[in-house]
Amino acid sequence: MGLSRTALRTTAIGTVSAALLAGSATTAAPAAPAAAPALAQQDSATAPGLRFVDIAGDGGTVLKANVTTPADWDGRQTYPVIVLPTSWAMPQVEYLAQARKLADSGYVVVSYNSRGFWQSGGEIETAGPPDIADASKVIDWALVNTPADPDRVGMAGVSYGAGISLLASAKDKRIKAVVALSGWADLIDSIYSGRTQHLQAAALLSGAGYLTGRPSDELQQIMSDFLTSNLAKEQDMIEWGRKRSPATYLDEINANGAAIMLGNAWGDSLFPPNQYADFYERLSVPKRLEFRPGDHATAEATGLLGLPNDTWTSAHRWFDHHLKGVDNGVDREQPVRIKTRSTGAYETYADWKSVGADRRKIELGGSPRIRANVDSGANGGVIFLSSMLDQFVKLPPMASIPLLPRSYAAVWQSPRYRSTQQVRGTAQLHTTVTSTKESGTLVAYLYDVGPLGLGKLVASAPYTFHDKTPGRPFTVDLELFSTAYDVPAGHRLAVVVDTVDPLYIEHNPTGAQLTFSSPAADPSYLSVPLRQE
């Protein structure tokens, strides 16, 4: 990457950050408290109702927290306790509505502001070891200062809180149940899938961190290397992400045995559903997986406001069964529950691999050659906005397939389907690529194409390569982001591949060209997962 490319990319990052974060905060990040005050006195700490307290986290770092205790507590009985770490950049009042609902049904709830954000002390460690140690310190505090039952401890959270909860379940055997909503299992596979930086996602997280908290020196260096494409530091970035990925500690999570519920949205711009699905399949503990339409945290957002919400209803049922022993049937239901993007209908399955058990291939014949560095008009849209439009008004990103310039986009189409095609799960691209340069980026899209040629985005994913020999073919295998979408009868599916998408950082040198071929001994195809009839 030349100097001019780096300069342009840095400018773009700043522009994206400013645009995405405009209006989200108007003040500088609060300063950290100087020192941890003493814990609340025992008499006030155990009083019923809502209280705001300071908890000493790892190393004595102040964690601003609130405690909600059942109103019927009489000083004798104990209750199951649920610990809620806040989401990235969110204040400690994030979960108050849900905490009240849980307390009303017989739980002690302790919610705390994750270190480095708002008025909590320390720096942002991005679910690093201090954050996981904080979770255990909060549990310690709750067992001493609230009527919490040490044998009935749960953790839950949205986004950042979900990741911390999963990681804590690997390190603290006291945790018996976890609900992780809109979180990650593999941090690298989330924002660096296909070896491609998710530009808008990373810029949003980085910008929000600066506005509402105090990023650690390590985080600042990692984000600088990540967003400026410093490949010399790529392995360092991957190792940093691995330490913060629940999938890394899968054996410990399984050994500890906490019952785990995972929930996410099909269009999650920060943590795409694939990595949750893969993690779910490898869990051997009591488990549940739920996917719904929407973007990051939108599926559970109304529940945070205290409104009726399917995701939070499932979370309450999960805790009721695994922490209270309520026979509500959650253990007898099929554990994979998905809501389709097209109809909003719910479907249940015995496991993830049953979701798209039937597969059909779209052959990618010929040898189209495309030029890089130009957005063909096929793209994944804008972070949050596009998936929310799909969620609420069924308007995903669209492109006119006949009008896509074939100089910049390779296009293949299926025949028109005589019946509805229920796409479920993860589509897989297999092709052979020849590049005129040693590095490059391609983005694959799957569209539902109507009679007039207008394509609605079904799924997509990026792929980046480095150190390839120019002119020498190489194989690409790429999983598109998982989805649940119905293609109407009379429509067809189109596979489109181009080289630029505003969601990602691209690595196409000036003048690069890509050729897609389908050797007889290794034909190219897109495998489409379909619901088994």
Side-chain angles (χ1 to χ4, degrees):
M1 291 170 285
L3 205 56
S4 58
R5 179 176 291 271
T6 300
L8 287 171
R9 182 171 294 147
T10 303
T11 301
I13 291 165
T15 302
V16 169
S17 297
L20 292 172
L21 296 167
S24 66
T26 57
T27 59
L39 295 180
Q41 295 298 314
Q42 182 75 11
D43 56 353
S44 64
T46 54
L50 170 65
R51 293 167 293 106
F52 290 86
V53 299
D54 290 347
I55 298 175
D58 185 49
T61 297
V62 178
L63 301 175
K64 294 293 182 177
N66 55 74
V67 182
T68 311
T69 306
D72 65 354
W73 183 70
D74 60 8
R76 293 188 296 272
Q77 77 271 41
T78 59
Y79 303 91
V81 58
I82 297 175
V83 174
L84 302 168
T86 55
S87 304
W88 186 273
M90 292 295 288
Q92 69 183 93
V93 297
E94 176 184 12
Y95 300 114
L96 282 184
Q98 283 302 316
R100 184 69 268 165
K101 288 177 179 291
L102 287 164
D104 288 345
S105 61
Y107 293 91
V108 172
V109 183
V110 182
S111 174
Y112 68 95
N113 226 132
S114 303
R115 68 165 52 221
F117 287 105
W118 295 98
Q119 295 298 330
S120 281
E123 297 179 330
I124 301 172
E125 302 288 347
T126 322
D131 291 296
I132 311 313
D134 283 346
S136 290
K137 290 289 187 180
V138 173
I139 294 172
D140 293 342
W141 184 93
L143 296 180
V144 172
N145 294 281
T146 75
D149 185 338
D151 295 323
R152 296 186 291 170
V153 177
M155 284 195 70
V158 176
S159 186
Y160 194 46
I164 290 174
S165 296
L166 285 173
L167 288 161
S169 73
K171 302 301 180 181
D172 196 323
K173 294 182 179 180
R174 295 174 296 181
I175 300 169
K176 298 300 189 292
V178 172
V179 173
L181 306 176
S182 292
W184 74 91
D186 188 324
L187 189 56
I188 294 301
D189 198 36
S190 295
I191 62 174
Y192 195 49
S193 66
R195 208 180 175 187
T196 308
Q197 297 102 317
H198 294 212
L199 171 61
Q200 293 185 18
L204 175 64
L205 290 171
S206 181
Y210 277 100
L211 284 173
T212 63
R214 298 165 300 281
S216 66
D217 290 342
E218 181 184 32
L219 175 57
Q220 292 182 57
Q221 186 61 55
I222 287 291
M223 292 309 297
S224 175
D225 291 336
F226 183 83
L227 291 170
T228 58
S229 305
N230 185 354
L231 293 178
K233 296 291 186 178
E234 182 181 38
Q235 195 56 43
D236 291 344
M237 291 185 282
I238 290 173
E239 288 303 315
W240 176 86
R242 283 189 73 257
K243 292 177 182 177
R244 290 159 171 81
S245 295
T248 302
Y249 310 100
L250 181 72
D251 290 344
E252 294 169 73
I253 292 173
N254 283 333
N256 287 347
I260 293 177
M261 173 184 155
L262 305 172
N264 205 355
W266 295 120
D268 195 314
S269 298
L270 303 184
F271 308 126
N274 300 46
Q275 42 92 35
Y276 247 18
D278 292 343
F279 179 69
Y280 171 85
E281 285 291 271
R282 296 164 61 199
L283 287 171
S284 60
V285 299
K287 58 185 179 178
R288 186 177 182 92
L289 177 67
E290 299 190 355
F291 286 144
R292 293 175 173 85
D295 207 308
H296 185 68
T298 62
E300 54 268 18
T302 55
L304 293 175
L305 301 175
L307 301 174
N309 180 275
D310 284 354
T311 303
W312 283 104
T313 297
S314 289
H316 286 232
R317 294 182 68 228
W318 191 252
F319 282 133
D320 285 349
H321 179 75
H322 291 286
L323 295 183
K324 288 185 175 180
V326 175
D327 185 13
N328 55 17
V330 73
D331 57 323
R332 296 187 294 276
E333 297 169 356
Q334 294 203 98
V336 176
R337 187 170 186 243
I338 68 172
K339 187 176 184 180
T340 69
R341 291 167 50 198
S342 302
T343 65
Y346 277 105
E347 299 169 359
T348 61
Y349 300 86
D351 50 34
W352 175 250
K353 63 178 177 290
S354 299
V355 173
D358 189 15
R359 284 189 170 269
R360 296 182 185 175
K361 291 182 178 179
I362 299 175
E363 296 181 0
L364 310 182
S367 298
R369 185 182 182 92
I370 63 174
R371 298 173 184 173
N373 301 308
V374 173
D375 188 342
S376 69
N379 61 63
V382 178
I383 189 172
F384 293 147
L385 176 61
S386 297
S387 291
M388 290 176 68
L389 286 172
D390 183 38
Q391 177 182 3
F392 295 113
V393 292
K394 303 294 187 293
L395 283 178
M398 293 183 284
S400 174
I401 305 304
L403 296 182
L404 291 176
R406 275 22 180 200
S407 295
Y408 301 105
V411 180
W412 300 266
Q413 296 192 72
S414 72
R416 285 192 174 87
Y417 295 109
R418 296 182 178 179
S419 60
T420 300
Q421 304 295 295
Q422 296 180 309
V423 180
R424 301 288 186 272
T426 309
Q428 299 171 340
L429 173 73
H430 174 80
T431 189
T432 297
V433 178
T434 305
S435 175
T436 59
K437 305 290 185 179
E438 64 176 14
S439 296
T441 296
L442 59 90
V443 186
Y445 308 91
L446 181 63
Y447 283 99
D448 160 25
V449 185
L452 298 180
L454 185 64
K456 294 183 177 181
L457 188 64
V458 177
S460 64
Y463 180 91
T464 293
F465 58 89
H466 298 287
D467 302 321
K468 297 295 185 183
T469 302
R472 178 178 295 176
F474 60 93
T475 300
V476 170
D477 286 291
L478 175 63
E479 287 190 347
L480 276 60
F481 300 139
S482 305
T483 195
Y485 181 97
D486 293 349
V487 180
H491 287 214
R492 66 178 75 204
L493 285 169
V495 181
V496 177
V497 181
D498 70 3
T499 62
V500 175
D501 190 310
L503 290 172
Y504 312 112
I505 292 177
E506 50 86 12
H507 294 262
N508 297 299
T510 302
Q513 297 183 45
L514 303 178
T515 300
F516 301 90
S517 57
S518 184
D522 186 21
S524 295
Y525 60 84
L526 183 89
S527 176
V528 181
L530 300 175
R531 185 183 184 189
Q532 198 167 38
E533 298 181 0

